[in-house]
Amino acid sequence: MPRNPRNDADRFLDKVTPTAGGCWQWTGSVKPSGYGQFRVGARIRSAHRVAYELWHGEIPDGLVIDHLCHRRDCVRPDHLEAVTQRINIRRGVNIAARRARQTHCCRGHEFDAANTYRAPNGTRKCRRCRAMAQNRARHRREVACAAS
């Protein structure tokens, strides 16, 4: 028998508390990662995904839900946006997100097509800095050979 979505919405809203910052804090069950959980039928689902689907509709294939407020326990529908995983990571605040947003290397050289290469581990590297490091190493070897 199909579930009544209105009943799910009512049950869902019973587990929400508005905060002073405008978020809807999830007061139901929470995973160790900080994301809320909500039972829909026999399945336990992420509360923020359920919120998005209740108010915005189905999540398009290949997209994830981004918390625009950066709070994992927020389920306010207008704080949630369906985006690609790449966009979600770039909007984050962790080290991977900060590095993905970098436009220049630590010495100020621009990461552009001519000056950037991908290391085997997938990270971006500056060609100019690499060339300078190779020149310094070559010079050290020459000095060491001349001294012996």
Side-chain angles (χ1 to χ4, degrees):
M1 180 164 134
R3 295 194 56 81
N4 181 344
R6 182 67 194 142
N7 289 340
D8 286 339
D10 289 339
R11 284 189 320 103
F12 187 89
L13 289 173
D14 287 342
K15 299 178 185 309
V16 170
T17 300
T19 67
C23 290
W24 289 4
Q25 184 176 8
W26 183 252
T27 59
S29 175
V30 177
K31 299 177 191 176
S33 62
Y35 292 99
Q37 302 181 105
F38 183 71
R39 182 179 299 277
V40 179
R43 291 182 55 206
I44 295 177
R45 305 208 32 233
S46 294
H48 64 286
R49 293 179 63 85
V50 172
Y52 184 90
E53 290 175 351
L54 285 172
W55 279 272
H56 295 293
E58 191 174 323
I59 300 168
D61 286 342
L63 299 185
V64 298
I65 301 303
D66 182 21
H67 290 82
L68 300 175
C69 58
H70 299 290
R71 287 189 52 166
R72 292 178 179 187
D73 65 345
C74 178
V75 294
R76 184 170 175 169
D78 56 344
H79 287 195
L80 306 173
E81 182 179 5
V83 297
T84 63
Q85 180 65 18
R86 179 177 178 86
I87 290 172
N88 191 23
I89 289 170
R90 291 187 72 142
R91 287 179 176 175
V93 294
N94 60 33
I95 187 68
R98 290 194 304 268
R99 286 196 175 143
R101 288 190 297 267
Q102 275 185 310
T103 58
H104 293 73
C105 76
C106 60
R107 291 187 178 87
H109 305 131
E110 186 174 8
F111 281 130
D112 59 17
N115 188 46
T116 307
Y117 74 95
R118 292 275 175 187
N121 67 359
T123 59
R124 293 180 298 172
K125 301 291 183 182
C126 174
R127 291 184 190 276
R128 288 178 62 190
C129 289
R130 183 177 188 204
M132 290 186 321
Q134 289 172 335
N135 286 338
R136 283 192 307 272
R138 188 178 307 111
H139 179 71
R140 281 192 303 272
R141 282 192 304 272
E142 290 169 359
V143 169
C145 289
S148 45

